[in-house]
Amino acid sequence: MSYYSDTPSVDDELESLGWYHFDLSRHAAEALLLSNGKDGSYLLRNSHEGPGSFALSVRAKDSVKHFHVTRKSSGYAFGFNEFASLQDFVSHFANQPLLGSETGTLIVLKCPYPWHVEEPSIYESVRVHTAMQTGRTESDLVANAPSFGTKEGYLVKLGAVVKNWKQRWFTLNRNELKYFKDKMFDEPIRTLDLTACSAVQFDYSKDRVNCFCLVFPERTFYLCAKSGVEADEWIKIIRWKLSHIRKER
């Protein structure tokens, strides 16, 4: 399955990198890594921010995280590190695969996801059954797909009945926000359907910092992050999802 319409000309150095995916979009990278990758799979792709800007997309369990990589005249910049060549950049991942995000999440880069994957040349035969007619026209065919927009991490949640705060592991995928007792649990305590969420915003009513709330018809959920930056990240991605949900209605 190919996600590319064309392949732009790039430096020979990047062309030689088997896990450089050219103009693969953020959405397609998430779809690819979540559907066919595994925990620790990663790839390099062009960033929408312009020439010399790239994104390292990494699958971290059930989410995909994206990190900036910048090509400079002196080499490649990644986080606080600079590498004189692409080979030095690649060697760094092979020798030091542990990657930390601003939110404190540790990710192990285990295996690069290749740009070229062997595919069978097998196609289904087509037979059109003219007896079935829907009455729809070309104008009714609207391309639509939900955004992955994944995020995960620990948040502290205020209980509904017993008003105490407990740390829970949260995952955001498509339009579902799930929280678990801890990161190693497979079954969530609850799944929140964001299509029913009316608002997300910072909250200053509780005696805690870095808090925000999600407003649902039956309940308002109060959550706290480790930092203001992390709380802002959660709010921004959930607001982005809510805006797209409203457009689809």
Side-chain angles (χ1 to χ4, degrees), residues 19 129 185 207:
W19 43 280
H129 197 296
F185 286 80
D207 190 23

Side-chain angles (χ1 to χ4, degrees), residues 1 3 28-38 59 113 148:
M1 181 177 181
Y3 290 92
E30 292 180 354
L32 192 65
L33 292 173
L34 288 172
S35 64
N36 206 38
K38 55 187 178 182
R59 176 169 176 175
Y113 193 98
F148 285 94

Side-chain angles (χ1 to χ4, degrees), residues 17-56:
L17 188 64
W19 43 280
Y20 171 56
H21 287 242
F22 302 90
D23 279 337
L24 186 71
S25 69
R26 181 187 181 112
H27 175 86
E30 292 180 354
L32 192 65
L33 292 173
L34 288 172
S35 64
N36 206 38
K38 55 187 178 182
D39 187 29
S41 294
Y42 59 95
L43 57 86
L44 185 68
R45 58 186 178 84
N46 292 340
S47 170
H48 68 278
E49 295 185 358
S53 295
F54 306 92
L56 181 72

Side-chain angles (χ1 to χ4, degrees), residues 57-94:
S57 300
V58 188
R59 176 169 176 175
K61 198 176 178 182
D62 294 324
S63 71
V64 176
K65 299 186 181 298
H66 308 272
F67 302 89
H68 283 296
V69 179
T70 305
R71 181 170 55 189
K72 300 181 176 180
S73 57
S74 58
Y76 291 83
F78 180 67
F80 296 108
N81 298 319
E82 287 199 16
F83 305 93
S85 68
L86 184 67
Q87 185 57 50
D88 291 340
F89 181 59
V90 174
S91 298
H92 173 78
F93 288 141

